[in-house]
């Protein structure tokens, strides 16, 4: 059996309250639930493939006052502990977060109902980035093709069904986005859209800066806009995942920094799939005021 097949077999998804999660995360679940958020934590929250890496780099550039060299201190996965991440014998996300000095910036893909309760109790700051469901699906499909620790996505037609029915790691897109949208006015939550950052990065980066309580001048902001562009981050070994072994992320199948655009779904969805998805989406998202931009 090849290493790739071996990895995919070893890493089935298991469920917590009906949400599929990587098996190692489920094995570590009691530690994750007991995790102690601190009042000065900033938690970056996203559904997978919604621009997590992008907002992490933006946040770190703001934190480091635009000093790119300081952001090069470590690969992005190591700068902000991923709280539910576990791959023994490596230290888990919880262990890394506990070892980190405050103020901490952490990241998660968890839906609201699975978040460790202390984050709510301590009124931490949450930065949520949402991306339209169709582009998320396309991005996740290519990621599952290249990520040997996630289930093989099969054909695009098969994946369309898998994603649409929410049988992917971290569960259905609809409930994730709705869950965070519904609590956004009750907690310290800055809710951003991938499409808005793409359209007007400076304006959105300014919102992040204000939310973080920072005040950077125009030239610094301009350089953050430049350094966090897709083109720059694709070439940056600290953000493009090129240091991850190919047995885990196989870049010969698809790059991690793939296209970074709004509307790539049009190159994947058939007319019939689009109609079917719109109908399911309408039902799943009924009653919510959230609006997505599907193309720029
Ligand atoms: S993960 O695995 O869940 O952490 O992935 P995540 O970082 O959330 O999402 C990856 C997608 O975000 C795109 N990306 C960017 N788009 C625009 N600008 C910048 N700077 C940027 N950085 C990352 C990345 O290319 C993935 O999207 P796709 O559509 O697959 O290209």
């Amino acid at each position: 059996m090849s290493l790739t097949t071996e990895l995919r077999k070893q890493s089935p998804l298991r469920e917590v309250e009906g949400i599929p999660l990587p098996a190692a995360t489920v094995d570590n679940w009691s530690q994750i639930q007991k995790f102690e958020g601190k009042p000065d934590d900033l938690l970056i929250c996203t559904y997978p493939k919604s621009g997590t890496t992008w907002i992490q780099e933006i946040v770190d550039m703001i934190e480091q006052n635009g000093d790119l060299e300081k952001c090069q201190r470590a690969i992005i996965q190591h700068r902000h502990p991923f709280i539910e991440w576990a791959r023994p014998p490596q230290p888990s996300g919880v262990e890394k977060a506990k070892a980190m000095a405050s103020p901490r910036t952490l990241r998660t893909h968890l839906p609201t109902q699975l978040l460790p309760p202390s984050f709510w109790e301590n009124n931490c700051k949450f930065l949520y980035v949402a991306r339209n469901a169709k582009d998320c699906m396309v991005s996740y499909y290519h990621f599952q093709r290249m990520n040997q620790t996630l289930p093989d996505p099969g054909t695009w037609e098969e994946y369309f069904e898998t994603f649409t029915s929410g049988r992917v790691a971290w569960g259905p897109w609809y409930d994730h986005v709705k869950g965070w949208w519904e609590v956004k006015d009750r907690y310290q939550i800055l809710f951003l859209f991938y499409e808005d950052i793409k359209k007007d990065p400076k304006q959105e980066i300014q919102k992040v800066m204000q939310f973080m309580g920072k005040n950077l001048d125009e030239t610094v902001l301009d350089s953050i806009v430049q350094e966090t562009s897709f083109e720059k981050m694709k070439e940056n070994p600290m953000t493009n995942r090129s240091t991850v072994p190919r047995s885990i992320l196989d870049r010969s199948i698809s790059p991690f920094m793939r296209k970074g655009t709004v509307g790539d779904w049009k190159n994947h969805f058939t007319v019939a799939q689009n109609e079917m998805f719109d109908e399911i989406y309408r039902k799943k998202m009924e009653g919510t005021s959230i609006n997505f931009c599907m193309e720029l």
Side-chain angles (χ1 to χ4, degrees):
M1 195 185 297
S2 72
L3 178 60
T4 300
T5 321
E6 187 64 45
L7 265 174
R8 291 215 187 226
K9 282 206 146 185
Q10 271 171 16
S11 317
L13 302 178
R14 300 225 314 269
E15 292 189 1
V16 174
E17 295 177 29
I19 301 293
L21 292 170
T25 294
V26 181
D27 289 340
N28 202 31
W29 194 245
S30 65
Q31 292 306 312
I32 295 166
Q33 280 302 289
K34 278 190 278 181
F35 180 73
E36 272 297 320
K38 296 181 187 170
D40 57 356
D41 284 344
L42 170 64
L43 183 60
I44 293 175
C45 315
T46 49
Y47 184 77
K49 313 319 292 177
S50 299
T52 325
T53 314
W54 193 8
I55 199 71
Q56 281 183 264
E57 187 70 356
I58 289 172
V59 165
D60 199 33
M61 282 290 276
I62 294 173
E63 191 63 51
Q64 308 303 334
N65 303 312
D67 187 334
L68 185 63
E69 253 179 55
K70 286 193 179 154
C71 294
Q72 302 277 323
R73 69 193 180 283
I75 54 171
I76 196 89
Q77 306 92 293
H78 290 174
R79 281 182 254 159
H80 305 135
F82 184 10
I83 54 170
E84 67 268 31
W85 192 88
R87 188 174 295 144
Q90 296 172 35
S92 67
V94 163
E95 284 163 342
K96 285 185 182 169
K98 279 185 181 168
M100 192 179 187
S102 287
R104 307 179 296 188
T105 299
L106 311 169
R107 67 169 278 212
T108 186
H109 286 322
L110 290 173
T112 53
Q113 73 276 20
L114 296 186
L115 199 71
S118 67
F119 282 110
W120 307 118
E121 289 156 11
N122 285 313
N123 197 29
C124 301
K125 279 189 180 172
F126 304 101
L127 206 176
Y128 189 87
V129 181
R131 186 182 195 184
N132 80 73
K134 293 179 188 177
D135 282 331
C136 254
M137 187 193 308
V138 169
S139 183
Y140 215 162
Y141 167 65
H142 291 291
F143 187 59
Q144 283 194 221
R145 289 173 57 234
M146 62 100 68
N147 186 333
Q148 307 306 316
T149 72
L150 288 175
D152 185 332
T155 63
W156 166 250
E157 288 69 28
E158 286 163 346
Y159 193 71
F160 179 86
E161 169 60 29
T162 308
F163 182 95
T164 303
S165 57
R167 284 182 283 108
V168 291
W170 287 279
W173 176 95
Y174 330 93
D175 299 345
H176 201 284
V177 170
K178 273 195 296 187
W180 280 97
W181 180 253
E182 277 158 20
V183 295
K184 76 176 171 36
D185 299 326
R186 284 196 267 138
Y187 295 93
Q188 298 194 79
I189 300 180
L190 178 65
F191 198 105
L192 298 179
F193 293 89
Y194 178 102
E195 295 76 16
D196 288 345
I197 313 176
K198 196 78 201 173
K199 197 162 36 182
D200 191 343
K202 191 167 176 180
Q203 176 186 290
E204 299 307 296
I205 290 172
Q206 240 157 349
K207 287 185 193 166
V208 178
M209 179 188 79
Q210 280 157 10
F211 185 66
M212 291 171 66
K214 297 280 278 190
N215 190 10
L216 304 174
D217 64 32
E218 288 281 313
T219 50
V220 175
L221 267 179
D222 288 335
S223 98
I224 296 178
V225 170
Q226 231 189 345
E227 294 303 335
T228 57
S229 69
F230 178 77
E231 292 69 27
K232 285 274 186 162
M233 284 181 59
K234 188 177 170 72
E235 295 310 317
N236 180 348
M238 295 297 147
T239 54
N240 67 13
R241 305 290 206 274
S242 58
T243 58
V244 178
R246 275 176 193 250
S247 55
I248 294 179
L249 294 184
D250 189 344
R251 293 182 303 284
S252 69
I253 298 176
S254 176
F256 178 84
M257 301 286 297
R258 199 182 55 87
K259 284 197 179 171
T261 56
V262 178
D264 190 35
W265 60 270
K266 290 188 189 166
N267 299 315
H268 292 73
F269 280 55
T270 63
V271 172
Q273 283 173 336
N274 195 34
E275 283 171 4
M276 199 189 306
F277 190 79
D278 283 347
E279 186 52 24
I280 294 167
Y281 187 91
R282 199 182 51 76
K283 286 188 190 139
K284 297 272 188 193
M285 300 301 279
E286 211 158 36
T288 160
S289 57
I290 195 165
N291 250 318
F292 280 89
C293 159
M294 307 300 287
E295 55 192 296
L296 287 182

